[in-house]
Amino acid sequence: MEKIEHKIKVENIVASVTLNKRLELEKVAEALKNIEYEPEQFPGLVYRLSEPKTAALIFSSGKIVCTGAKVIDDVNKSIAQIIENLRIGGLNVDVINIQVQNIVSSSELEAELDLNTVAVGLGLENVEYEPEQFPGLVYRLKEPKVVILIFSTGKLVCTGAKHPKDAEIAVAKLAEKLKELKLIK
């Protein structure tokens, strides 16, 4: 069987961070620059970093959600920078846990698709396709456990991955299945 390779572009990595203590957000707001804090609008504060270009949602529970990174290394750099800046601001915090929650990536099959035919071919138990509601087909894989949005243009969006390799494996499986069904070359 010929191995099909498709280029995967990571668009966004979302990671959660657990700190060793609760935070007083007013003190965090005083300690950091480039933050947005409107407690009547949102229960956390938004902290934007320019390098790497990411954003963090910081909550009083001591949880942080880091988003916007395109490589895992940038997640780690962002978190290290946030912790360092909190410490410089007088807040003694340590990271207990960092966990990647979601990696969103895109790919291209380079073929036009008839999504009705794709839906039937992939098996209706793994597919949601309601073109009146959403222009793409939602395909849920069991292994790796990800969701691929498939568009008639051949563009794909893969979400739910925990590792970049998950998206590569999922897209390769999808492409192989579509090739078997003779829906792509």
Side-chain angles (χ1 to χ4, degrees):
M1 180 187 281
E2 176 188 339
K3 184 166 164 82
I4 300 172
E5 291 204 21
H6 294 274
K7 186 177 177 196
I8 304 293
K9 179 181 179 201
V10 173
E11 303 290 348
N12 185 27
I13 299 174
V14 179
S16 63
V17 180
T18 304
L19 300 179
N20 63 332
K21 62 172 71 171
R22 294 184 62 80
L23 299 170
E24 292 181 46
L25 294 183
E26 294 78 16
K27 288 184 179 178
V28 174
E30 291 170 13
L32 301 176
K33 294 180 171 83
N34 300 324
I35 64 112
E36 296 168 27
Y37 182 49
E38 296 179 33
E40 59 284 339
Q41 300 291 320
F42 183 70
L45 58 83
V46 180
Y47 182 40
R48 298 185 193 286
L49 298 171
S50 56
E51 192 52 45
K53 189 172 175 106
T54 56
L57 306 175
I58 303 174
F59 299 95
S60 60
S61 63
K63 299 276 188 195
I64 299 174
V65 176
C66 181
T67 185
K70 298 196 186 300
V71 294
I72 299 291
D73 195 42
D74 283 352
V75 171
N76 295 326
K77 286 179 186 173
S78 296
I79 294 165
Q81 188 174 337
I82 292 164
I83 298 305
E84 180 182 337
N85 291 344
L86 287 170
R87 288 177 179 161
I88 290 169
L91 300 165
N92 186 19
V93 294
D94 288 308
V95 173
I96 294 175
N97 186 31
I98 300 171
Q99 186 171 7
V100 172
Q101 298 295 331
N102 186 20
I103 297 176
V104 178
S105 57
S106 62
S107 189
E108 177 95 37
L109 291 173
E110 298 174 5
E112 294 281 322
L113 298 169
D114 175 349
L115 295 182
N116 288 314
T117 305
V118 171
V120 173
L122 292 177
L124 298 174
E125 66 278 357
N126 300 320
V127 168
E128 291 175 39
Y129 182 51
E130 297 181 40
E132 320 75 47
Q133 303 291 322
F134 181 70
L137 181 149
V138 179
Y139 179 48
R140 297 181 191 286
L141 282 87
K142 289 182 175 65
E143 192 56 45
K145 190 173 182 197
V146 300
V147 173
I148 300 177
L149 306 178
I150 305 168
F151 297 92
S152 62
T153 60
K155 292 191 185 303
L156 307 174
V157 175
C158 182
T159 185
K162 303 290 186 193
H163 306 281
K165 196 83 178 147
D166 291 347
E168 292 174 22
I169 293 166
V171 169
K173 281 184 172 183
L174 171 64
E176 202 57 53
K177 180 82 170 162
L178 293 176
K179 190 174 180 183
E180 285 171 18
L181 295 166
K182 299 190 181 342
L183 298 175
I184 63 172
K185 293 184 181 188

